[in-house]
Amino acid sequence: MMKNLISVKWGIALAVLTILLGFVLGAAMGGAESQIKEAWTAAAQPGLTTVYQNDPQKITMIVERSWKMLQRAHMHAAAIGTAALVLLAILAQLNIADLSKKVISLCLGLGGLGYSFSWLYVAFLASSVGNIAQTKDEIHIVAALSIAMLLFGTASVLALSTKALFMAAKTDSL
């Protein structure tokens, strides 16, 4: 079993790091919600007159939307990291070239971490920028590449494992 995992070790490390990010964000959200929101409110203050047109309610609104982005980062990290770990366990067992395993493994690991990080970036910078959409635009390429890597990795494991299972079924009796 351990020998099979060697070719997907970097994907496993990144997937576990992504899960850890989800756990840390969840703990921070549960234990420091008011401090996080206060920090975002303070970060928005320099833009009160220019970005927020002297309307403190707009700052409150962006802080609440930023909190939702932080929740997305937390949930995506925990879920995608776990899903990637399962896919990597399947990938490790497939009889394919080690280079293919390494590429797919890195796509799953980097994709999960990158996508989760993109939500985290939006959460923490939106109050300074003053606009969620603009903040998303700033990190769009990271999010898009991360999604592409996740889709490629997931589709690859699906195709390769389905092929392996059905080819094995043809040679084995039902």
Side-chain angles (χ1 to χ4, degrees):
M1 174 76 174
M2 283 303 282
K3 184 179 183 220
N4 291 345
L5 295 176
I6 297 299
S7 59
V8 297
K9 65 184 173 189
W10 289 109
I12 291 171
L14 290 165
V16 173
L17 182 60
T18 304
I19 295 167
L20 179 61
L21 173 63
F23 291 166
V24 168
L25 290 175
M29 291 167 63
E33 178 177 354
S34 60
Q35 293 91 334
I36 292 169
K37 288 182 176 181
E38 287 169 10
W40 289 340
T41 301
Q45 292 306 312
L48 180 60
T49 57
T50 55
V51 176
Y52 297 103
Q53 296 84 35
N54 285 321
D55 186 353
Q57 184 60 31
K58 289 183 179 179
I59 291 176
T60 301
M61 288 172 48
I62 197 103
V63 166
E64 289 307 315
R65 290 195 62 211
S66 294
W67 186 255
K68 289 181 181 180
M69 300 301 113
L70 186 60
Q71 289 173 328
R72 288 181 183 175
H74 156 64
M75 291 185 288
H76 280 93
I80 293 173
T82 303
L85 204 54
V86 170
L87 291 168
L88 289 163
I90 295 168
L91 178 63
Q93 301 306 312
L94 297 176
N95 189 21
I96 60 171
D98 276 352
L99 181 59
S100 296
K101 287 182 181 182
K102 288 176 183 176
V103 169
I104 295 166
S105 167
L106 282 172
C107 284
L108 289 168
L110 287 172
L113 188 59
Y115 189 65
S116 302
F117 172 76
S118 66
W119 285 114
L120 184 62
Y121 178 91
V122 171
F124 275 90
L125 289 181
S127 62
S128 298
V129 173
N131 186 304
I132 296 283
Q134 183 181 342
T135 309
K136 284 182 181 179
D137 287 346
E138 291 176 8
I139 197 147
H140 173 74
I141 192 71
V142 172
L145 288 173
S146 298
I147 292 166
M149 287 189 283
L150 284 168
L151 291 174
F152 170 78
T154 302
S156 296
V157 173
L158 174 65
L160 293 166
S161 62
T162 300
K163 180 181 174 186
L165 289 169
F166 284 101
M167 286 182 74
K170 286 182 182 178
T171 59
D172 295 340
S173 62
L174 300 175

